[in-house]
Amino acid sequence: MGKQPKVSAQHLTKKFGDLLVLDDVSFDIKKGEFVCIVGPTGCGKTTFLNLLVKLIEPTSGRVLIDGVPADPRKHNMSCVFQEPSTFPWLTVEDNIKFNLQIKKMDKQEIQRRTDHILEMIGMTEQRKAYPGQLSVSAEQRIVIGRSFAMYPDLLLMDEPYGQMDIKLRYYLEDAVLDLWRETESTVIFITHNIEEAVYLSQRCLVMTPKPTTIKASIDNPLPYPRNVSDPEFIKLREQITDMIKWW
Ligand SMILES: Nc1ncnc2c1ncn2[C@@H]1O[C@H](COP(=O)(O)OP(=O)(O)O)[C@@H](O)[C@H]1O
Ligand SMILES: [Mg+2]
């Protein structure tokens, strides 16, 4: 008997008025898998995440998590959206603790996790600062830390590193891989950076322009940690790049 997928999109169709965005899209994501979704701007990547977290409803079809309709209250899932949204009245540290405190987790465990996450996102020294005193990319790091802190079994990230300089991006790419390994979570990471997708994921889902379907699903068997200048890495990156040249 095959294992139940973590996420299953089944004939997912989404229209906004007359605009057909997702056109009968079906795919499964296995438990514990790290998948990157790449696709041109406007193809419906964010729409897909919004469907997953129930911010919007599909026109037809459905998305299941663990075999049942996606429900953010029932599933331990966490989402980092494109636009950072911290709580400006809380310090960096208290932003990260926020969801854990809502869950009434043990105080010592909250502190332990928070310290660990601050370290992971490289913000231990700024723990007492307020978001307004920091840069936009630091603010995005707080949001990332806040979702990491939940140890979600489904982590959704929507082009989270888009605004960051390359050094910080490399650092946070390794941080998300560490978290994935540590918590054995399932990760769906949206990006239009092909190198990032090949560095991170076990599989890349390549979307077409609207009306959107899945153009290809490309397995990435390279062992971690990956090396962006390894010829095998470059080969894979070029294969995906060729596939999307006509975007
Ligand atoms: N609430 C909405 N109402 C109308 N059109 C929308 C809405 N949300 C998204 N769209 C349109 O759907 C398409 C897909 O958007 P989006 O999912 O944000 O794309 P992506 O994240 O892949 O760049 C775009 O053409 C966008 O303009
Ligand atoms: Mg988007």
Side-chain angles (χ1 to χ4, degrees), residues 117-164:
I117 297 294
L118 282 168
E119 175 94 39
M120 261 180 130
I121 59 168
M123 295 194 81
T124 303
E125 279 166 24
Q126 290 111 303
R127 65 195 303 157
K128 299 293 176 206
Y130 288 87
Q133 301 171 302
L134 303 167
S135 66
V136 176
S137 89
E139 204 182 345
Q140 184 68 324
R141 269 195 285 170
I142 301 168
V143 179
I144 291 162
R146 204 170 61 200
S147 353
F148 281 13
M150 297 294 287
Y151 292 1
D153 35 67
L154 180 58
L155 177 62
L156 311 169
M157 300 185 86
D158 194 359
E159 308 196 26
Y161 305 158
Q163 312 301 321
M164 294 178 185

Side-chain angles (χ1 to χ4, degrees), residues 16 19 21 40-48 82 158-159 210:
F16 293 107
L19 182 70
V21 178
T41 300
C43 77
K45 301 181 295 297
T46 299
T47 299
F48 170 67
Q82 274 167 298
D158 194 359
E159 308 196 26
K210 286 186 294 270

